[in-house]
Each structure stands twice: as C-alpha cells, then as structure tokens.
Amino acid sequence: MEQRNIPFWLQLLFSLSHTFASLQPSEGNECIKANAKSCGECIQVGAKCGWCTDPEFLKQGEATSTRCDELESLRKRGCSGAKVENPRGSQEALKNKTVTNRNKGAKKLRPEDITQIQPQKLTLSLRSGEPQSFNLKFKRAEDYPIDLYYLMDLSYSMKDDLENVKNLGTQLMLEMSKITSDFRIGFGSFVEKTVMPYISTTPAKLLNPCTGDQNCTSPFSYKNVLKLTSNGQEFNTLVGRQQISGNLDSPEGGFDAIMQVAVCGEHIGWRNVTRLLVFSTDAGFHFAGDGKLGGIVLPNDGKCHLENNMYTMSHYYDYPSIAHLVQKLSDNNIQTIFAITEEFQPVYKELKNLIPKSAVGTLSANSSNVINLIIDAYNSLSSEVILENSKLAEGVTIAYQSRCKNGVTGEGEMGRKCSNISIGDEVSFTISITAKQCPKMGKPETIKIKPLGFTEEVEIALNFICECDCHKNGTENSDICHKGNGTYECGACRCNEGRIGRHCECSTNEVTSEDLDKNCRKDNGTDICSNNGDCVCGTCECKKRENPEERYSGKFCDCDNFNCDRSNNKLCGGHGHCECRVCICDANWTGSACDCSLDTTTCLASNKQICNGRGTCECGTCKCTDPKFQGPTCEICPTCPGVCAEHKECVQCRAFGTGEKKETCERDCSYFNLIKVKDRDKLPQPGQAFPLMHCKERDANDCWFYYTYAVNNNTEKEVHVVETLDCPAGPDIIPIVAGVVAGIVLIGLALLLIWKLLMIIHDRREFAKFEKEKMNAKWDTNAVVAMLVNCTLNSK
C-alpha cells in the first residue's frame, strides 16, 4: 500500500509507534552504547568496534563518540577502510620444539632433552573480545624417567606390612624396568605429631610407645629415610633397619608427611620427570583444624622444615588442609597413589576425587600386593592427560577443546583432558584465550599451561592491545584543540583535564550552565537541542540511538534519518535515504516515500506496448482504462469471448478429475485458485469489484458443469465451480416395459375387436344375402306351384 493513501493520523501513529519501539530496552549496538571518547576506549569495547579517524567524518551535532561504531556501519556512513582503526590480535611461537619420537632401547636422553608437549613458549597479542586460538600437542614419550617415593605409615598396626616392604626395592626396580630404563626409588615414614593427645608424652612412652615386650622406636612426625636412588639394594638395606613406632589415636599424621615430601624437593631428590608418591597406611588422617586438640593453632605454612631428614615443626604448625595439599602437589607435579587397606577405601576414594591425578588401590592386610598395586595405579594415571593453567589475569578467560584418541572430542571441562592414552599416542588441544578488557596499566601478563603430573609446560606471554596505532602519532597541545587544550589523535581531540567540547574550546569553570544552554535552543524556544541531545559547551551533541543506522543531527539536533515517510514498512520505500526527515530518492524513483517508480519496463505487455495499449503506467504499475481488461499489464480479460472454452479442460480436471488434461493437470492447470461451491446460487454474481465471467460447459458424458472465472484485485485468477455435475436423467425401465406390454395388449385387443367387428359385418352381410336368397327361393317355389297349377288347369 502506498504511503500517500494512508490518512495523516495513521501515519502519525505509525511514526510514533516506530519511535517508541526503538526506545525499548534491547541489546543494541555495544560500540555506540560504550560512549567511547577515544580510539583506545573504542577498541576495548569489542572486536566488532572500529574508530573513524577521518577529520570530516562527523556531521553537525554528532558527538566525538559517534566515531566509534561497528565496521559495517562506519562504511555505510562514508568512512573509508583506510580511515578506520581496527587493530587485530596476533600470536607468535617463540619456542616450538617438536615432540620427541623415541623408542625404548634407543639412545638414552637426559630428561630435559625429552619433549612431550608442543609448543613450549609463545606470545599472544589480545584485542578485547577477540579470542586467540592455538593448538597444543601432547605425546607420551617412550622410556620416560620415573621417580617414585614410598611414604609408609610406621604406626604399630603396620608391623606386618613393614616386613613385606623391606624387599620392595629390588622387586619394584625389576618390574619398573619393563616400563622405563631410568627409575629411582626413595622411602619415607610417618607416625604422628609428637604432642598430646596424639601420643603419650611420658618419658617411658617417648622412648618406647609400644606395650609389653615390644621394642618400638620413639614416635616421630615424618622421617625422610632414603633420598631417591637408582640402587634398589640400598632401599632394601635402609628399609630393613626401620622399626615400628606407635601413637594413641587412630587417625595418623600423614598429611604433614605428604606436605614435606611435596615441598622439600632437594631433600627428596625429585627430578623434572614423572613423580610418583605412594602413600601407604591402614588408618585415616588428620587435617587442618585437628591440631587445636594439641594446642596447635598456626596454619601450616607449606614450607620445607626438614633438619637431618626429620620434620621439626610438627608441634608448631597445624596439619595442612586438603586444598593446600592439592595446590602443593600440583605445583610440584606429583601424582599420588594411595595404597589403602579395605576398611578405609571409601574415605580415600572421596579424597582422590579432590586431588587431581591421584589413584587409590586396595592394599592387602600385609602389603604383599603392593607392587601390582603400584604398577596398576601408574598405568591408570599415565593413561590420562589433564591440562591445567595458572591463575588468569582479571578479564581473561580460557577455553579448551580436546581431540583425543579414536576421534573422541571434548569441550568445556571435558575439553581439558584425554583418556586411554598409550605410550607413543599423540593427542591435541585447541586453546582459546580471550581478554574481556585491558588490565590495569595494560601491563603484559604471563600464564602457564601444563598437563597435571608432568613437569613440562607452555609459557604464554599476553600482551594487551589497549590503544590504537594512531595514538602513537598524536600531537600534544595541538592548535586544532583550541589553542593547545588537548591532544589531537586519531582524528579527534582528547581534551586536557578541565576542558570540554569537540575541540576542547570550553573550560568547565568559565561559563554557567544557563549561558551554555541558551546557544542550544532553536528559535529561542524552551527545548534544549530539540530534546534530542545534550548541550555541551554551548553546542548540541545529539543523542545516539540503539540502532546504529538511526541518527539525530543538525545544529539543534532537529534532524534525523529515521522519521521519513515509509512504504511497505520500509523507510523511503527502500529506494532512497532519509535526510532531515525528507526522503532523498534514488534514480528512477520519486514520491514522498520514494515508492513511485519512473521505470516503465514493469508495465510492458507481451506485445511490447505499455499496459497493452489499454491503460497508463503510474509508478511502475498499470492503471487499466478499459474496465474489461485487468492484470499487471492490462492483458487479462475475464469476460472476453472464448474464456470459458479456454479454461474448460483445466477446470474439469481439477474439480472432477476428468477431461483431456487429466494426466497433466498438476503441471498445466495450477495457474488459478479453485474454490468449490455447493450449488449455482453460491457462485459469485456480477457487480463485484472485478470483472466476472459465468461459464456453462458440457463434458464427454453430456453432463453440464457451471463455474465462474475472474481475476481479483491482487491479479490472482479465481475459479468458483459447482462441485456437482448436472447430468440428464436415465430412462425408467419399469414404466417402459409396462407401457410396451400394455401397448401390445391394447393393440391385440384392438385387433381382436377389429377382427370381431369385421366378422360381425361379414356375418351380417352373409345373413342378409342368405335372407335375400331365401326370399328369392321362396318366390321361385310359388312360381313353380303357380305354373304347375296353371299347367294343370290348362290340361283340364
């Protein structure tokens, strides 16, 4: 429908509804909503935002922040690509050594020469909202060195277990040689804090905490018995000298021992290889807070306190918390194997769920199965890789996507890990890092990503793009910025403190608000900036709209580009643009809503005449002057002779499924809308808004069907047809047979009557003849008698 045919009140209502709709809260354009005052602020809003540096870009009334917009919007508004600041992020690999391909039995490499993760170091330049992604490879190296530290509970209940562990060194070395040729083993033991109520502090019990004739060693918290060594026999010798000790309560002080094993790397002898800690006990554990029972209130400091291989601060620091242990084990790349008796399995399985890269095995009553337990747990731990990252800077996020063995993929938290990895398998991860904002001062940050339980890591330096390139070329105290009251950069003035205005022409202390506002009122009116902007330094800065395509402009913000006439619900009919509420039409278009086409090609009929010579072309549409003709080019004549015959076959096949076009009906006869009615009275009658033709046609069975053909105001062909055929009635057999029989009978009777009548007439004639002959015979007899008499008389 054309805009000019709509009543004025309806146009006003439509315009107001459109305006109110545009003011409703919505997600909007984040670039415009940010109200960025500089290029640096703009590019931090999001990756879609750009800044136009063209000095002539802004129209009158537009604020400096209008330079910040989505890239496509800037282009449409006339800012060339060369004038748009849109820095992008980048990445560079600084160390990218390939993963090691090494078979067991090959030349022995130092641990630092083996690479299982790639790349090792890179730098990322991050633009706010723009993720930077890179691929990380991990490959389990063949014959990778292993350090194993056996930490054992030496309370009295573990007496029989100690006997089996005494020969553990050589046996475990033999089994582990099947996995790696570079294996070291160490040993440590623990009991409990050496204060009441965990142990008895009587002098006798401090010397021998066991009862009866049992000879036990003095209680202790943690002892590093053997530093990691490749000599299995030395392990057997030193462990063989160990004695059982004792304590009072059931839970043990194992957490103190684990903490010291984790943080005392030099005393333990950890290398940068696979680190395994086997924790063997038949009891539960104390954790943070339990030390208060012994008057110990200081939290565990997580530092090494070994003197002569003995933990000396157990009486001074509380037990560590589980979270503290998790942190230290992770920081030192230690994988924990809990060798626990059946009774305490549920407790340590819950603990395992809290400690990444840990395993729980069931220890037999006398630890006879400890070697198999360690081998199984190691295989379980080494078959899974889990990535973790260090603490992220504020506003930085990280996402993982894994591509594991056999095509298995994962995202989210599952994207951090791969399972069922065998030695020599290679898996990869896609890691995306995104900065939501620049950190304070824009200083570079460093994060590290590593597989849990491995010493290798990826070091990533993060540089943040917080300013545009044009910022470097800024001119401080530029004359463009009103006598040097600002820095001219990126096509705009960045005002010094205390200065305002597009060119920093005003001081916040020079003039009153009333003096400023009077320059922003049109025709001395009451509205400031036509209620469409703010008066800044005596100059209107027009408000921005949620829709980046819609803008206020003008000295008093009294113009806009969205309140022009519309056609087909499109601004300026989609064939022009709106300037100060007036449509500027494209070529070949005219009208207040640019909805009138000057192109006559759409009016050309098939005979190349405009409107078939039976109408005029107005706004690209034919206005037929002959009422009999209609259609887009005045070529359709529903009431012309021959129309009924032309459409007969198609109506017949679509309405009744008969006729010559029965087989091709769908292909040839879909050009009109068919509407069935019950009887002839329901057919459209003359006098409608468009011409109508009534048709009566007969089919091959001599049946009549009735329909109307018309072209409606939307140039759609419509056919209304009576849904039942009008066929002549067939003969009634019974009356015919009865009539024939009756006729035959009547004819027979008539013939009999005629025959009878003829017979009567004949009989009567014969009877009359007989009577006559009889009379004649009687006369003859009398004559004979008279003659005889005469003769007789004469003879006498």
Side-chain angles (χ1 to χ4, degrees), residues 176-192:
M176 294 300 289
S177 66
K178 300 175 183 178
I179 298 174
T180 177
S181 59
D182 189 356
F183 176 71
R184 298 198 309 170
I185 190 171
F187 184 82
S189 59
F190 66 91
V191 181
E192 187 56 278

Side-chain angles (χ1 to χ4, degrees), residues 4 565 583 585 589-596:
R4 59 178 178 273
D565 288 345
C583 283
C585 300
W589 290 93
T590 186
S592 63
C594 298
D595 53 353
C596 183

Side-chain angles (χ1 to χ4, degrees), residues 735-760:
I736 292 174
V737 172
V740 171
V741 172
I744 294 172
V745 171
L746 291 174
I747 292 171
L749 290 174
L751 291 174
L752 287 175
L753 289 174
I754 293 171
W755 177 78
K756 184 65 176 177
L757 180 59
L758 292 174
M759 290 302 296
I760 293 173

Side-chain angles (χ1 to χ4, degrees), residues 21 35 37 66 109 112 128 146 161 226 231 238 243 288 337 416 432 477 483 618 625 652 654 759:
N35 201 30
K37 301 297 184 183
T66 312
L109 297 175
E112 55 267 28
S128 294
I146 299 174
D161 300 81
L226 176 64
N231 189 340
L238 286 176
Q243 288 182 296
I337 300 172
R416 290 176 175 265
S432 297
N477 302 321
K483 302 178 182 180
E618 297 180 9
T625 54
Q652 188 177 352
R654 287 190 58 183
M759 290 302 296

Side-chain angles (χ1 to χ4, degrees), residues 169 420 511 561 667 669 757:
N420 301 319
V511 289
N561 68 341
R667 183 191 68 192
C669 300
L757 180 59

